[in-house]
PDB file of all heavy atoms in Angstrom:
ATOM      1  N   PRO A   1       6.542  13.279   0.168  1.00  0.00           N
ATOM      2  CA  PRO A   1       6.459  11.852   0.489  1.00  0.00           C
ATOM      3  C   PRO A   1       6.746  10.975  -0.706  1.00  0.00           C
ATOM      4  O   PRO A   1       6.633  11.266  -1.801  1.00  0.00           O
ATOM      5  CB  PRO A   1       5.039  11.705   1.013  1.00  0.00           C
ATOM      6  CG  PRO A   1       4.267  12.732   0.171  1.00  0.00           C
ATOM      7  CD  PRO A   1       5.203  13.858   0.043  1.00  0.00           C
ATOM      8  N   VAL A   2       7.182   9.697  -0.297  1.00  0.00           N
ATOM      9  CA  VAL A   2       7.071   8.605  -1.222  1.00  0.00           C
ATOM     10  C   VAL A   2       5.748   8.058  -1.190  1.00  0.00           C
ATOM     11  O   VAL A   2       5.070   8.012  -0.187  1.00  0.00           O
ATOM     12  CB  VAL A   2       8.078   7.468  -0.740  1.00  0.00           C
ATOM     13  CG1 VAL A   2       7.993   6.288  -1.785  1.00  0.00           C
ATOM     14  CG2 VAL A   2       9.503   8.027  -0.539  1.00  0.00           C
ATOM     15  N   ARG A   3       5.178   7.717  -2.346  1.00  0.00           N
ATOM     16  CA  ARG A   3       3.824   7.249  -2.471  1.00  0.00           C
ATOM     17  C   ARG A   3       3.716   6.044  -3.376  1.00  0.00           C
ATOM     18  O   ARG A   3       4.339   5.962  -4.526  1.00  0.00           O
ATOM     19  CB  ARG A   3       2.819   8.324  -2.956  1.00  0.00           C
ATOM     20  CG  ARG A   3       1.365   7.704  -3.073  1.00  0.00           C
ATOM     21  CD  ARG A   3       0.473   8.685  -3.630  1.00  0.00           C
ATOM     22  NE  ARG A   3       0.797   9.133  -4.999  1.00  0.00           N
ATOM     23  CZ  ARG A   3       0.119  10.048  -5.746  1.00  0.00           C
ATOM     24  NH1 ARG A   3      -0.948  10.584  -5.225  1.00  0.00           N
ATOM     25  NH2 ARG A   3       0.567  10.372  -6.916  1.00  0.00           N
ATOM     26  N   VAL A   4       2.989   4.979  -2.937  1.00  0.00           N
ATOM     27  CA  VAL A   4       2.733   3.791  -3.760  1.00  0.00           C
ATOM     28  C   VAL A   4       1.233   3.623  -3.766  1.00  0.00           C
ATOM     29  O   VAL A   4       0.557   3.644  -2.746  1.00  0.00           O
ATOM     30  CB  VAL A   4       3.453   2.552  -3.101  1.00  0.00           C
ATOM     31  CG1 VAL A   4       2.991   1.321  -3.953  1.00  0.00           C
ATOM     32  CG2 VAL A   4       4.904   2.687  -3.142  1.00  0.00           C
ATOM     33  N   ARG A   5       0.632   3.486  -4.976  1.00  0.00           N
ATOM     34  CA  ARG A   5      -0.787   3.249  -5.150  1.00  0.00           C
ATOM     35  C   ARG A   5      -0.998   2.128  -6.142  1.00  0.00           C
ATOM     36  O   ARG A   5      -0.193   1.989  -7.101  1.00  0.00           O
ATOM     37  CB  ARG A   5      -1.527   4.484  -5.645  1.00  0.00           C
ATOM     38  CG  ARG A   5      -1.541   5.611  -4.626  1.00  0.00           C
ATOM     39  CD  ARG A   5      -2.377   6.735  -5.174  1.00  0.00           C
ATOM     40  NE  ARG A   5      -2.028   7.392  -6.411  1.00  0.00           N
ATOM     41  CZ  ARG A   5      -2.635   8.378  -7.018  1.00  0.00           C
ATOM     42  NH1 ARG A   5      -3.766   8.828  -6.548  1.00  0.00           N
ATOM     43  NH2 ARG A   5      -2.181   8.882  -8.199  1.00  0.00           N
ATOM     44  N   THR A   6      -1.964   1.321  -5.909  1.00  0.00           N
ATOM     45  CA  THR A   6      -2.281   0.199  -6.803  1.00  0.00           C
ATOM     46  C   THR A   6      -3.770  -0.106  -6.803  1.00  0.00           C
ATOM     47  O   THR A   6      -4.463   0.133  -5.799  1.00  0.00           O
ATOM     48  CB  THR A   6      -1.465  -1.021  -6.501  1.00  0.00           C
ATOM     49  OG1 THR A   6      -1.843  -2.092  -7.423  1.00  0.00           O
ATOM     50  CG2 THR A   6      -1.792  -1.501  -5.096  1.00  0.00           C
ATOM     51  N   LEU A   7      -4.303  -0.716  -7.918  1.00  0.00           N
ATOM     52  CA  LEU A   7      -5.672  -1.101  -7.969  1.00  0.00           C
ATOM     53  C   LEU A   7      -5.980  -2.421  -7.432  1.00  0.00           C
ATOM     54  O   LEU A   7      -7.095  -2.723  -7.103  1.00  0.00           O
ATOM     55  CB  LEU A   7      -6.082  -1.124  -9.440  1.00  0.00           C
ATOM     56  CG  LEU A   7      -6.087   0.151 -10.275  1.00  0.00           C
ATOM     57  CD1 LEU A   7      -6.578  -0.087 -11.667  1.00  0.00           C
ATOM     58  CD2 LEU A   7      -6.952   1.218  -9.625  1.00  0.00           C
ATOM     59  N   THR A   8      -4.968  -3.245  -7.119  1.00  0.00           N
ATOM     60  CA  THR A   8      -5.193  -4.554  -6.642  1.00  0.00           C
ATOM     61  C   THR A   8      -5.548  -4.459  -5.069  1.00  0.00           C
ATOM     62  O   THR A   8      -5.125  -3.481  -4.426  1.00  0.00           O
ATOM     63  CB  THR A   8      -3.936  -5.430  -6.738  1.00  0.00           C
ATOM     64  OG1 THR A   8      -2.836  -4.808  -6.021  1.00  0.00           O
ATOM     65  CG2 THR A   8      -3.552  -5.601  -8.168  1.00  0.00           C
ATOM     66  N   PRO A   9      -6.317  -5.313  -4.561  1.00  0.00           N
ATOM     67  CA  PRO A   9      -6.675  -5.298  -3.237  1.00  0.00           C
ATOM     68  C   PRO A   9      -5.389  -5.448  -2.277  1.00  0.00           C
ATOM     69  O   PRO A   9      -4.469  -6.166  -2.665  1.00  0.00           O
ATOM     70  CB  PRO A   9      -7.659  -6.503  -3.028  1.00  0.00           C
ATOM     71  CG  PRO A   9      -8.178  -6.780  -4.333  1.00  0.00           C
ATOM     72  CD  PRO A   9      -7.063  -6.390  -5.323  1.00  0.00           C
ATOM     73  N   ALA A  10      -5.474  -4.754  -1.237  1.00  0.00           N
ATOM     74  CA  ALA A  10      -4.309  -4.798  -0.258  1.00  0.00           C
ATOM     75  C   ALA A  10      -4.027  -6.187   0.201  1.00  0.00           C
ATOM     76  O   ALA A  10      -2.864  -6.585   0.401  1.00  0.00           O
ATOM     77  CB  ALA A  10      -4.605  -3.894   0.816  1.00  0.00           C
ATOM     78  N   TRP A  11      -5.092  -6.964   0.379  1.00  0.00           N
ATOM     79  CA  TRP A  11      -4.807  -8.377   0.996  1.00  0.00           C
ATOM     80  C   TRP A  11      -4.084  -9.237   0.060  1.00  0.00           C
ATOM     81  O   TRP A  11      -3.493 -10.241   0.590  1.00  0.00           O
ATOM     82  CB  TRP A  11      -6.143  -8.950   1.382  1.00  0.00           C
ATOM     83  CG  TRP A  11      -7.122  -9.271   0.257  1.00  0.00           C
ATOM     84  CD1 TRP A  11      -7.084 -10.331  -0.582  1.00  0.00           C
ATOM     85  CD2 TRP A  11      -8.280  -8.565  -0.139  1.00  0.00           C
ATOM     86  NE1 TRP A  11      -8.063 -10.328  -1.474  1.00  0.00           N
ATOM     87  CE2 TRP A  11      -8.819  -9.248  -1.202  1.00  0.00           C
ATOM     88  CE3 TRP A  11      -8.943  -7.383   0.355  1.00  0.00           C
ATOM     89  CZ2 TRP A  11     -10.060  -8.837  -1.871  1.00  0.00           C
ATOM     90  CZ3 TRP A  11     -10.105  -7.001  -0.247  1.00  0.00           C
ATOM     91  CH2 TRP A  11     -10.629  -7.657  -1.372  1.00  0.00           C
ATOM     92  N   SER A  12      -4.016  -8.984  -1.261  1.00  0.00           N
ATOM     93  CA  SER A  12      -3.374  -9.976  -2.105  1.00  0.00           C
ATOM     94  C   SER A  12      -2.099  -9.311  -2.810  1.00  0.00           C
ATOM     95  O   SER A  12      -1.546 -10.021  -3.715  1.00  0.00           O
ATOM     96  CB  SER A  12      -4.397 -10.406  -3.200  1.00  0.00           C
ATOM     97  OG  SER A  12      -4.839  -9.295  -4.057  1.00  0.00           O
ATOM     98  N   ASN A  13      -1.715  -8.130  -2.403  1.00  0.00           N
ATOM     99  CA  ASN A  13      -0.614  -7.475  -3.149  1.00  0.00           C
ATOM    100  C   ASN A  13       0.750  -7.957  -2.604  1.00  0.00           C
ATOM    101  O   ASN A  13       1.073  -7.677  -1.422  1.00  0.00           O
ATOM    102  CB  ASN A  13      -0.766  -5.953  -3.010  1.00  0.00           C
ATOM    103  CG  ASN A  13       0.215  -5.187  -3.938  1.00  0.00           C
ATOM    104  OD1 ASN A  13       1.346  -5.070  -3.581  1.00  0.00           O
ATOM    105  ND2 ASN A  13      -0.305  -4.855  -5.050  1.00  0.00           N
ATOM    106  N   GLN A  14       1.445  -8.620  -3.384  1.00  0.00           N
ATOM    107  CA  GLN A  14       2.796  -9.204  -2.924  1.00  0.00           C
ATOM    108  C   GLN A  14       3.822  -8.087  -2.866  1.00  0.00           C
ATOM    109  O   GLN A  14       4.781  -8.253  -2.026  1.00  0.00           O
ATOM    110  CB  GLN A  14       3.205 -10.350  -3.882  1.00  0.00           C
ATOM    111  CG  GLN A  14       2.197 -11.505  -3.868  1.00  0.00           C
ATOM    112  CD  GLN A  14       2.088 -12.032  -2.472  1.00  0.00           C
ATOM    113  OE1 GLN A  14       3.094 -12.329  -1.784  1.00  0.00           O
ATOM    114  NE2 GLN A  14       0.887 -12.171  -2.027  1.00  0.00           N
ATOM    115  N   ASN A  15       3.727  -7.025  -3.680  1.00  0.00           N
ATOM    116  CA  ASN A  15       4.684  -5.968  -3.575  1.00  0.00           C
ATOM    117  C   ASN A  15       4.603  -5.353  -2.194  1.00  0.00           C
ATOM    118  O   ASN A  15       5.732  -4.984  -1.657  1.00  0.00           O
ATOM    119  CB  ASN A  15       4.422  -4.977  -4.620  1.00  0.00           C
ATOM    120  CG  ASN A  15       4.846  -5.363  -6.084  1.00  0.00           C
ATOM    121  OD1 ASN A  15       5.766  -6.243  -6.149  1.00  0.00           O
ATOM    122  ND2 ASN A  15       4.162  -4.979  -7.041  1.00  0.00           N
ATOM    123  N   LEU A  16       3.443  -5.100  -1.690  1.00  0.00           N
ATOM    124  CA  LEU A  16       3.234  -4.547  -0.354  1.00  0.00           C
ATOM    125  C   LEU A  16       3.881  -5.416   0.687  1.00  0.00           C
ATOM    126  O   LEU A  16       4.641  -4.901   1.590  1.00  0.00           O
ATOM    127  CB  LEU A  16       1.785  -4.330  -0.036  1.00  0.00           C
ATOM    128  CG  LEU A  16       1.436  -3.955   1.414  1.00  0.00           C
ATOM    129  CD1 LEU A  16       2.038  -2.573   1.772  1.00  0.00           C
ATOM    130  CD2 LEU A  16      -0.090  -4.035   1.659  1.00  0.00           C
ATOM    131  N   ARG A  17       3.775  -6.717   0.603  1.00  0.00           N
ATOM    132  CA  ARG A  17       4.408  -7.592   1.578  1.00  0.00           C
ATOM    133  C   ARG A  17       5.893  -7.662   1.500  1.00  0.00           C
ATOM    134  O   ARG A  17       6.611  -7.997   2.430  1.00  0.00           O
ATOM    135  CB  ARG A  17       3.799  -9.079   1.436  1.00  0.00           C
ATOM    136  CG  ARG A  17       2.285  -9.059   1.774  1.00  0.00           C
ATOM    137  CD  ARG A  17       1.744 -10.423   1.682  1.00  0.00           C
ATOM    138  NE  ARG A  17       0.293 -10.349   1.966  1.00  0.00           N
ATOM    139  CZ  ARG A  17      -0.268 -10.348   3.125  1.00  0.00           C
ATOM    140  NH1 ARG A  17       0.468 -10.448   4.209  1.00  0.00           N
ATOM    141  NH2 ARG A  17      -1.565 -10.217   3.324  1.00  0.00           N
ATOM    142  N   SER A  18       6.432  -7.201   0.329  1.00  0.00           N
ATOM    143  CA  SER A  18       7.903  -7.160   0.139  1.00  0.00           C
ATOM    144  C   SER A  18       8.506  -5.959   0.688  1.00  0.00           C
ATOM    145  O   SER A  18       9.487  -6.017   1.412  1.00  0.00           O
ATOM    146  CB  SER A  18       8.165  -7.279  -1.400  1.00  0.00           C
ATOM    147  OG  SER A  18       9.510  -7.195  -1.597  1.00  0.00           O
ATOM    148  N   PHE A  19       7.845  -4.747   0.412  1.00  0.00           N
ATOM    149  CA  PHE A  19       8.543  -3.532   0.835  1.00  0.00           C
ATOM    150  C   PHE A  19       8.067  -3.052   2.259  1.00  0.00           C
ATOM    151  O   PHE A  19       8.915  -2.300   2.898  1.00  0.00           O
ATOM    152  CB  PHE A  19       8.323  -2.406  -0.149  1.00  0.00           C
ATOM    153  CG  PHE A  19       6.994  -1.826  -0.296  1.00  0.00           C
ATOM    154  CD1 PHE A  19       6.480  -0.918   0.720  1.00  0.00           C
ATOM    155  CD2 PHE A  19       6.165  -2.052  -1.356  1.00  0.00           C
ATOM    156  CE1 PHE A  19       5.185  -0.338   0.594  1.00  0.00           C
ATOM    157  CE2 PHE A  19       4.933  -1.484  -1.470  1.00  0.00           C
ATOM    158  CZ  PHE A  19       4.410  -0.634  -0.479  1.00  0.00           C
ATOM    159  N   ALA A  20       6.960  -3.375   2.784  1.00  0.00           N
ATOM    160  CA  ALA A  20       6.451  -2.913   4.001  1.00  0.00           C
ATOM    161  C   ALA A  20       7.422  -3.208   5.193  1.00  0.00           C
ATOM    162  O   ALA A  20       7.639  -2.423   6.072  1.00  0.00           O
ATOM    163  CB  ALA A  20       5.058  -3.389   4.269  1.00  0.00           C
ATOM    164  N   PRO A  21       8.017  -4.431   5.265  1.00  0.00           N
ATOM    165  CA  PRO A  21       8.833  -4.733   6.400  1.00  0.00           C
ATOM    166  C   PRO A  21      10.204  -3.988   6.383  1.00  0.00           C
ATOM    167  O   PRO A  21      10.884  -3.954   7.424  1.00  0.00           O
ATOM    168  CB  PRO A  21       9.123  -6.216   6.238  1.00  0.00           C
ATOM    169  CG  PRO A  21       8.050  -6.744   5.423  1.00  0.00           C
ATOM    170  CD  PRO A  21       7.720  -5.636   4.419  1.00  0.00           C
ATOM    171  N   VAL A  22      10.556  -3.379   5.187  1.00  0.00           N
ATOM    172  CA  VAL A  22      11.862  -2.735   5.190  1.00  0.00           C
ATOM    173  C   VAL A  22      11.826  -1.244   4.949  1.00  0.00           C
ATOM    174  O   VAL A  22      12.851  -0.571   5.031  1.00  0.00           O
ATOM    175  CB  VAL A  22      12.765  -3.410   4.056  1.00  0.00           C
ATOM    176  CG1 VAL A  22      13.056  -4.879   4.400  1.00  0.00           C
ATOM    177  CG2 VAL A  22      12.097  -3.255   2.683  1.00  0.00           C
ATOM    178  N   ALA A  23      10.675  -0.706   4.662  1.00  0.00           N
ATOM    179  CA  ALA A  23      10.540   0.790   4.432  1.00  0.00           C
ATOM    180  C   ALA A  23      10.209   1.390   5.896  1.00  0.00           C
ATOM    181  O   ALA A  23       9.243   0.948   6.548  1.00  0.00           O
ATOM    182  CB  ALA A  23       9.387   1.034   3.563  1.00  0.00           C
ATOM    183  N   LEU A  24      11.051   2.270   6.334  1.00  0.00           N
ATOM    184  CA  LEU A  24      10.961   2.902   7.670  1.00  0.00           C
ATOM    185  C   LEU A  24      10.592   4.410   7.525  1.00  0.00           C
ATOM    186  O   LEU A  24      11.064   5.029   6.586  1.00  0.00           O
ATOM    187  CB  LEU A  24      12.284   2.807   8.397  1.00  0.00           C
ATOM    188  CG  LEU A  24      12.840   1.416   8.574  1.00  0.00           C
ATOM    189  CD1 LEU A  24      14.221   1.533   9.242  1.00  0.00           C
ATOM    190  CD2 LEU A  24      11.948   0.588   9.448  1.00  0.00           C
ATOM    191  N   SER A  25       9.765   4.863   8.400  1.00  0.00           N
ATOM    192  CA  SER A  25       9.382   6.269   8.405  1.00  0.00           C
ATOM    193  C   SER A  25       8.804   6.670   9.724  1.00  0.00           C
ATOM    194  O   SER A  25       8.202   5.811  10.512  1.00  0.00           O
ATOM    195  CB  SER A  25       8.403   6.537   7.290  1.00  0.00           C
ATOM    196  OG  SER A  25       7.871   7.859   7.283  1.00  0.00           O
ATOM    197  N   GLY A  26       8.901   7.953  10.104  1.00  0.00           N
ATOM    198  CA  GLY A  26       8.317   8.533  11.218  1.00  0.00           C
ATOM    199  C   GLY A  26       6.977   9.103  10.966  1.00  0.00           C
ATOM    200  O   GLY A  26       6.299   9.631  11.886  1.00  0.00           O
ATOM    201  N   CYS A  27       6.514   9.162   9.681  1.00  0.00           N
ATOM    202  CA  CYS A  27       5.263   9.765   9.285  1.00  0.00           C
ATOM    203  C   CYS A  27       4.678   8.891   8.175  1.00  0.00           C
ATOM    204  O   CYS A  27       5.297   8.899   7.053  1.00  0.00           O
ATOM    205  CB  CYS A  27       5.326  11.144   8.958  1.00  0.00           C
ATOM    206  SG  CYS A  27       3.735  11.919   8.604  1.00  0.00           S
ATOM    207  N   ILE A  28       3.636   8.235   8.430  1.00  0.00           N
ATOM    208  CA  ILE A  28       3.047   7.308   7.434  1.00  0.00           C
ATOM    209  C   ILE A  28       1.563   7.477   7.302  1.00  0.00           C
ATOM    210  O   ILE A  28       0.845   7.729   8.371  1.00  0.00           O
ATOM    211  CB  ILE A  28       3.299   5.831   7.850  1.00  0.00           C
ATOM    212  CG1 ILE A  28       4.731   5.530   8.062  1.00  0.00           C
ATOM    213  CG2 ILE A  28       2.659   4.836   6.872  1.00  0.00           C
ATOM    214  CD1 ILE A  28       5.027   4.276   8.932  1.00  0.00           C
ATOM    215  N   VAL A  29       0.967   7.445   6.121  1.00  0.00           N
ATOM    216  CA  VAL A  29      -0.425   7.553   5.859  1.00  0.00           C
ATOM    217  C   VAL A  29      -0.782   6.394   4.874  1.00  0.00           C
ATOM    218  O   VAL A  29      -0.162   6.349   3.840  1.00  0.00           O
ATOM    219  CB  VAL A  29      -0.874   8.830   5.256  1.00  0.00           C
ATOM    220  CG1 VAL A  29      -2.339   8.867   5.020  1.00  0.00           C
ATOM    221  CG2 VAL A  29      -0.607  10.047   6.299  1.00  0.00           C
ATOM    222  N   ALA A  30      -1.768   5.584   5.176  1.00  0.00           N
ATOM    223  CA  ALA A  30      -2.146   4.492   4.332  1.00  0.00           C
ATOM    224  C   ALA A  30      -3.681   4.388   4.291  1.00  0.00           C
ATOM    225  O   ALA A  30      -4.363   4.845   5.256  1.00  0.00           O
ATOM    226  CB  ALA A  30      -1.573   3.156   4.759  1.00  0.00           C
ATOM    227  N   HIS A  31      -4.244   3.938   3.209  1.00  0.00           N
ATOM    228  CA  HIS A  31      -5.596   3.931   2.867  1.00  0.00           C
ATOM    229  C   HIS A  31      -6.050   2.731   2.055  1.00  0.00           C
ATOM    230  O   HIS A  31      -5.286   2.342   1.125  1.00  0.00           O
ATOM    231  CB  HIS A  31      -5.909   5.182   2.087  1.00  0.00           C
ATOM    232  CG  HIS A  31      -7.360   5.461   1.811  1.00  0.00           C
ATOM    233  ND1 HIS A  31      -8.040   4.876   0.797  1.00  0.00           N
ATOM    234  CD2 HIS A  31      -8.226   6.316   2.396  1.00  0.00           C
ATOM    235  CE1 HIS A  31      -9.307   5.330   0.759  1.00  0.00           C
ATOM    236  NE2 HIS A  31      -9.431   6.164   1.731  1.00  0.00           N
ATOM    237  N   VAL A  32      -7.181   2.148   2.400  1.00  0.00           N
ATOM    238  CA  VAL A  32      -7.767   1.084   1.539  1.00  0.00           C
ATOM    239  C   VAL A  32      -9.122   1.622   1.103  1.00  0.00           C
ATOM    240  O   VAL A  32      -9.940   2.152   1.915  1.00  0.00           O
ATOM    241  CB  VAL A  32      -7.937  -0.288   2.309  1.00  0.00           C
ATOM    242  CG1 VAL A  32      -6.532  -0.929   2.532  1.00  0.00           C
ATOM    243  CG2 VAL A  32      -8.630  -0.123   3.649  1.00  0.00           C
ATOM    244  N   ARG A  33      -9.454   1.426  -0.163  1.00  0.00           N
ATOM    245  CA  ARG A  33     -10.633   2.121  -0.804  1.00  0.00           C
ATOM    246  C   ARG A  33     -11.748   1.209  -1.068  1.00  0.00           C
ATOM    247  O   ARG A  33     -11.604   0.025  -1.544  1.00  0.00           O
ATOM    248  CB  ARG A  33     -10.142   2.751  -2.066  1.00  0.00           C
ATOM    249  CG  ARG A  33     -11.230   3.558  -2.720  1.00  0.00           C
ATOM    250  CD  ARG A  33     -10.727   4.275  -4.019  1.00  0.00           C
ATOM    251  NE  ARG A  33     -11.769   5.090  -4.629  1.00  0.00           N
ATOM    252  CZ  ARG A  33     -12.136   5.085  -5.870  1.00  0.00           C
ATOM    253  NH1 ARG A  33     -11.550   4.314  -6.742  1.00  0.00           N
ATOM    254  NH2 ARG A  33     -13.094   5.851  -6.336  1.00  0.00           N
ATOM    255  N   ALA A  34     -12.943   1.630  -0.736  1.00  0.00           N
ATOM    256  CA  ALA A  34     -14.212   1.096  -1.274  1.00  0.00           C
ATOM    257  C   ALA A  34     -14.833   2.261  -2.040  1.00  0.00           C
ATOM    258  O   ALA A  34     -15.288   3.223  -1.519  1.00  0.00           O
ATOM    259  CB  ALA A  34     -15.038   0.670  -0.093  1.00  0.00           C
ATOM    260  N   ALA A  35     -14.851   2.101  -3.410  1.00  0.00           N
ATOM    261  CA  ALA A  35     -15.175   3.166  -4.262  1.00  0.00           C
ATOM    262  C   ALA A  35     -16.671   3.606  -4.056  1.00  0.00           C
ATOM    263  O   ALA A  35     -17.493   2.706  -3.947  1.00  0.00           O
ATOM    264  CB  ALA A  35     -14.942   2.768  -5.702  1.00  0.00           C
ATOM    265  N   SER A  36     -16.923   4.893  -4.030  1.00  0.00           N
ATOM    266  CA  SER A  36     -18.359   5.351  -3.980  1.00  0.00           C
ATOM    267  C   SER A  36     -19.029   4.929  -5.194  1.00  0.00           C
ATOM    268  O   SER A  36     -18.432   4.944  -6.304  1.00  0.00           O
ATOM    269  CB  SER A  36     -18.342   6.883  -3.777  1.00  0.00           C
ATOM    270  OG  SER A  36     -17.734   7.279  -2.546  1.00  0.00           O
TER     271      SER A  36
END
């Protein structure tokens, strides 16, 4: 898979808002973290 990870919160990440509308896939897994 292609994978993108970042420490910034998902709600404020501008890179996500840039690539998400144009990246296409038939299998996707995404995760938002609250550290234990």
Side-chain angles (χ1 to χ4, degrees):
V2 180
R3 179 183 60 179
V4 174
R5 296 187 295 180
T6 179
L7 295 181
T8 60
W11 66 76
S12 63
N13 190 278
Q14 295 304 307
N15 289 328
L16 172 63
R17 296 182 182 277
S18 176
F19 72 75
V22 296
L24 302 176
S25 179
C27 184
I28 303 163
V29 176
H31 183 279
V32 290
R33 184 179 183 228
S36 298

